[in-house]
Amino acid sequence: MACEAEAVVGLLAIERGDDHHLIFSVAVHPASAGKGIGPRLIAEAEHRARVAGKVRMTLYTNALMSRNIALYRKLGYRETGRRPNMARQGSTIVDMEKMLVETPDH
């Protein structure tokens, strides 16, 4: 969670997995957009995952969210696949991951 003057301006939700943490949601208040809050929240989540011994972070987003995809790539995430969004007809999900520790195959 990110706060300014005691107001919540950003929030990140994760789901914990065996070898990874999944970033389930990143939200930043529109008035605080562009201030680096999202990347700071993601960096903190990655730090906590490393401390917990996780080897990677994963996330997914809508294929139409090109700005988000570009940001995630800038932060070191790579696309691992695309799949239909079963909850939204005609929508595509982009799966991404970032390795938190070096492995021989990444």
Side-chain angles (χ1 to χ4, degrees), residues 2 4 9-10 26 28 32-43 71 75:
E4 289 180 359
V9 295
V26 181
V28 175
S32 296
K35 295 181 180 179
I37 293 168
R40 285 196 308 267
L41 288 168
I42 292 169
L71 172 64
L75 295 176

Side-chain angles (χ1 to χ4, degrees), residues 47-61:
H47 170 74
R48 290 179 184 210
R50 279 187 198 94
V51 168
K54 306 305 177 186
V55 298
R56 63 191 174 104
M57 290 294 291
T58 62
L59 61 84
Y60 60 89
T61 189

Side-chain angles (χ1 to χ4, degrees), residues 61 63 81-95:
T61 189
R82 292 181 179 232
R83 58 192 160 96
N85 183 342
M86 303 311 280
R88 292 196 173 136
Q89 189 73 6
S91 180
T92 301
I93 293 172
V94 177
D95 292 301

